[in-house]
């Protein structure tokens, strides 16, 4: 099959294929960008596969970076773009279900395509726009089917992450997982325990944002993959509840996806922190999610106070997006405007500070100090006091007098 029109990203990279071919080697566009072109979707990174060995590739271009030289990957820098160029390779014996013991560079495109995970990920595109389809990926593409290349069972034994990739691509592409591929996931789900949590996390996070996230998640549960994921081993009911929320809406970023998950699991902010740490999420992400969950758990019980919104701080947008996604019955626009109307958003915005207590009022730092500032902060947030220096100083004065008269 020949492409009618090459996307601009490929056109821009054609000189690279031409340079490699002029030197007597083969070179093709491969991987997700070819798949996405066939689906009429925008493409992100352009990946190239070649029969040239890494040193041979490097000799042909002025500017290259060894981004993964041990796996045969060299990044070629051209007109401000980077192109990952990987030597055709095969992967021999996998003793640990995750990494090949050895990668061997080969000169055959077919060998390279055979080691790829799914038929729709195993196309090669020539510089003339011809699609090379060795595993009937084009018919799977037409039928919206995700099928492992070769023997599914064997392929998941080689690399158990591929099972997560299956449910992820099914969710993203809205493809059904082919029967034998699905059965092989059921039979081998336990091998997921061998995979580093960071890698599982990447696939799971993408799954949750797929347009068919509900289907992907339900297959993940049906194949028992979640039994080998931290904190998700025994929560099928909650996960099914989550899947139902995803029927006609998806989270639009990683934070939303994970906040919604934590909320569906019914975790406290503290337990959410422990759960997210097991998944190796960043501290920033944990912080946002904990703050969001604190507010959401309160909203689930009823109305919240200005102070709760204030404490949520910068996580407010995320929290309110998740309130909508989780179908919580709350007035989101009203909460948004209540947050916007807060007299201060952080402590730093208070029109009175520690310096005003010492220099201004001659008070010595001590327990009373913190108590006064905390009280002023709460009263300003609640709207009981104006955020005005004179007003706050008068209030502080009253507190000092009360304490000294005790
Ligand atoms: P995305 O659009 O999410 O980047 P992608 O298909 O490009 O999707 P990548 O993870 O970037 O996925 O991998 C690029 C290509 O490398 C895949 O299309 C596939 O051919 C191959 N590949 C990646 N990971 C694996 C794996 N674990 N097993 C086999 N082949 C893989
Ligand atoms: Mg990719």
């Amino acid at each position: 099959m020949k492409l009618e029109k090459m996307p601009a990203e490929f056109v821009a990279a054609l000189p690279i294929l031409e340079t490699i071919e002029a030197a007597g080697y083969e070179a093709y566009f491969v991987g997700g960008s070819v798949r996405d072109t066939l689906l009429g979707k925008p493409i992100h990174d352009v990946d190239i596969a070649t029969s040239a060995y890494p040193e041979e590739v490097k000799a042909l271009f002025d500017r290259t970076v060894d981004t993964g030289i041990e796996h045969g990957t060299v990044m070629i820098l051209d007109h401000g773009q980077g192109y990952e160029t990987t030597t055709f390779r095969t992967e021999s014996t996998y003793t640990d279900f995750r990494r090949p013991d050895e990668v061997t560079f080969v000169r055959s495109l077919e060998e390279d395509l055979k080691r790829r995970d799914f038929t729709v990920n195993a196309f090669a595109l020539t510089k003339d726009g011809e699609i090379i389809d060795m595993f009937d990926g084009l018919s799977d593409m037409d039928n919206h089917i995700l099928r492992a290349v070769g023997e599914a069972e064997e392929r998941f034994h080689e690399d158990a992450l591929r099972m997560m990739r299956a449910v992820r691509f099914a969710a993203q592409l809205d493809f059904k997982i082919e029967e034998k591929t699905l059965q092989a996931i059921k039979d081998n789900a336990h091998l997921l325990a061998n995979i580093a949590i960071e890698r599982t996390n990447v696939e799971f996070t993408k799954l949750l944002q797929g347009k068919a996230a509900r289907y992907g998640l339900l297959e993940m549960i049906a194949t028992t993959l979640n039994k080998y994921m931290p904190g998700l081993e025994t929560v099928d009911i909650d996960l099914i509840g989550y899947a139902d929320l995803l029927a006609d809406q998806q989270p639009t970023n990683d934070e939303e996806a994970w906040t919604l998950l934590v909320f569906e699991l019914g975790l406290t902010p503290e337990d959410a922190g422990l759960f997210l740490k097991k998944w190796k999420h960043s501290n920033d992400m944990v912080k946002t999610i904990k703050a969001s969950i604190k507010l959401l758990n309160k909203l689930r019980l009823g109305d919240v106070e200005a102070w709760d919104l204030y404490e949520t701080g910068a996580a407010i947008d995320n929290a309110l997006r998740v309130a909508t996604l989780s179908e919580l019955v709350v007035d989101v626009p009203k909460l948004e405007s209540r947050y916007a109307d807060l007299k201060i958003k952080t402590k730093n915005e208070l029109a009175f500070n520690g310096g005003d207590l010492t220099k201004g009022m001659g008070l010595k730092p001590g327990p009373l100090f913190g108590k006064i500032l905390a009280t002023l902060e709460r009263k300003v947030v609640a709207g009981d006091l104006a955020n005005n220096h004179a007003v706050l100083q008068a209030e502080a004065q009253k507190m000092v007098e009360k304490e000294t008269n005790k």
Side-chain angles (χ1 to χ4, degrees):
M1 188 200 125
K2 195 157 176 167
L3 281 189
E4 278 170 26
K5 192 169 173 294
M6 278 254 201
E9 293 84 346
F10 287 142
V11 173
L14 281 178
I16 293 183
L17 297 198
E18 284 159 1
T19 303
I20 298 176
E21 288 189 2
Y25 307 105
E26 291 174 45
Y28 306 89
F29 297 122
V30 290
S33 56
V34 181
R35 176 199 66 226
D36 290 342
T37 298
L38 290 168
L39 289 169
K41 297 210 291 186
I43 57 181
H44 33 117
D45 26 45
V46 169
D47 292 322
I48 296 171
T50 178
S51 62
Y53 291 169
E55 294 307 320
E56 295 167 338
V57 172
K58 285 166 72 174
L60 292 173
F61 296 92
D62 291 341
R63 296 199 301 145
T64 64
V65 185
D66 291 358
T67 47
I69 193 101
E70 67 281 16
H71 307 113
T73 305
V74 171
M75 164 109 67
I76 299 173
L77 300 172
D78 189 47
H79 61 270
Q81 281 286 330
Y83 296 100
E84 295 271 6
T85 307
T86 305
T87 302
F88 297 157
R89 60 183 209 215
T90 58
E91 296 169 351
S92 62
T93 54
Y94 296 68
T95 39
D96 61 358
F97 310 111
R98 55 192 156 147
R99 297 262 186 227
D101 298 335
E102 197 175 87
V103 305
T104 311
F105 300 142
V106 292
R107 299 285 189 187
S108 145
L109 171 67
E110 183 171 2
E111 287 301 312
D112 184 82
L113 295 180
K114 264 197 211 159
R115 68 154 178 100
R116 294 179 181 268
D117 46 8
F118 304 105
T119 61
V120 296
N121 282 350
F123 298 115
L125 173 64
T126 71
K127 68 173 190 317
D128 305 315
E130 196 66 43
I131 297 282
I132 299 176
D133 172 23
M134 289 177 169
F135 311 101
D136 268 338
L138 286 172
S139 88
D140 286 339
M141 191 79 109
D142 284 344
N143 297 318
H144 293 192
I145 285 183
L146 194 78
R147 182 196 309 270
V149 170
E151 282 297 322
E153 171 90 13
E154 217 175 280
R155 307 314 309 283
F156 297 147
H157 262 262
E158 289 168 359
D159 178 359
L161 184 72
R162 289 174 186 152
M163 297 185 287
M164 276 310 290
R165 288 174 61 86
V167 286
R168 181 265 272 208
F169 283 116
Q172 277 187 329
L173 305 175
D174 194 7
F175 279 20
K176 297 286 173 267
I177 304 174
E178 176 270 332
E179 219 180 288
K180 272 189 167 169
T181 304
L182 193 64
Q183 186 60 45
I185 302 178
K186 284 187 183 141
D187 296 341
N188 295 284
H190 62 279
L191 297 178
L192 188 65
N194 296 292
I195 297 297
I197 192 67
E198 293 89 336
R199 299 178 74 209
T200 300
N201 186 338
V202 169
E203 303 300 334
F204 187 38
T205 302
K206 288 184 179 172
L207 182 167
L208 297 177
Q209 292 168 68
K211 65 178 169 189
R214 179 171 191 276
Y215 169 75
L217 197 51
L218 290 176
E219 290 296 33
M220 189 185 102
I221 303 162
T223 53
T224 75
L225 281 168
N226 62 298
K227 302 245 174 306
Y228 308 94
M229 300 180 171
L232 301 182
E233 299 90 340
T234 58
V235 294
D236 287 14
I237 306 274
D238 295 328
L239 288 176
I240 291 169
Y242 189 27
D244 286 336
L245 292 176
L246 300 178
D248 42 29
Q249 53 176 4
Q250 294 82 42
T252 53
N253 60 44
D254 298 0
E255 275 161 21
E256 278 174 31
W258 283 87
T259 309
L260 184 60
L261 176 62
V262 167
F263 191 44
E264 278 307 298
L265 294 176
L267 302 181
T268 62
E270 290 66 36
D271 288 344
L274 297 174
F275 171 70
L276 296 167
K277 280 288 164 199
K278 281 194 213 151
W279 280 86
K280 302 263 169 78
H281 280 293
S282 71
N283 290 337
D284 278 352
M285 178 120 157
V286 174
K287 196 173 152 216
T288 302
I289 297 180
K290 281 174 82 171
S292 302
I293 288 295
K294 194 166 176 193
L295 183 73
L296 287 162
N297 285 350
K298 283 192 175 158
L299 284 170
R300 176 134 62 188
L301 298 176
D303 205 7
V304 293
E305 302 194 352
W307 183 255
D308 298 312
L309 297 169
Y310 173 77
E311 273 199 312
T312 311
I316 193 78
D317 290 341
N318 179 63
L320 295 180
R321 268 286 300 156
V322 173
T324 305
L325 288 171
S326 68
E327 296 171 359
L328 204 60
V329 188
V330 289
D331 187 343
V332 169
K334 171 116 181 280
L335 290 163
E336 275 167 351
S337 70
R338 281 179 67 199
Y339 181 78
D341 291 345
L342 289 176
K343 295 289 176 284
I344 57 171
K345 299 283 197 299
T346 68
K347 208 187 218 150
N348 296 338
E349 291 173 24
L350 201 62
F352 192 83
N353 59 29
D356 297 323
L357 282 174
T358 47
K359 284 191 217 102
M361 295 171 57
L363 207 71
K364 290 201 180 64
L368 183 57
F369 216 80
K371 198 171 145 194
I372 293 174
L373 291 175
T375 306
L376 297 181
E377 185 186 6
R378 279 207 174 249
K379 289 191 170 179
V380 168
V381 170
D384 296 340
L385 284 178
N387 187 30
N388 166 290
H389 184 79
V391 170
L392 298 180
Q393 171 147 354
E395 184 73 12
Q397 192 64 48
K398 261 202 281 179
M399 288 181 73
V400 172
E401 280 160 18
K402 214 166 125 198
E403 285 295 322
T404 42
N405 290 341
K406 260 189 188 167

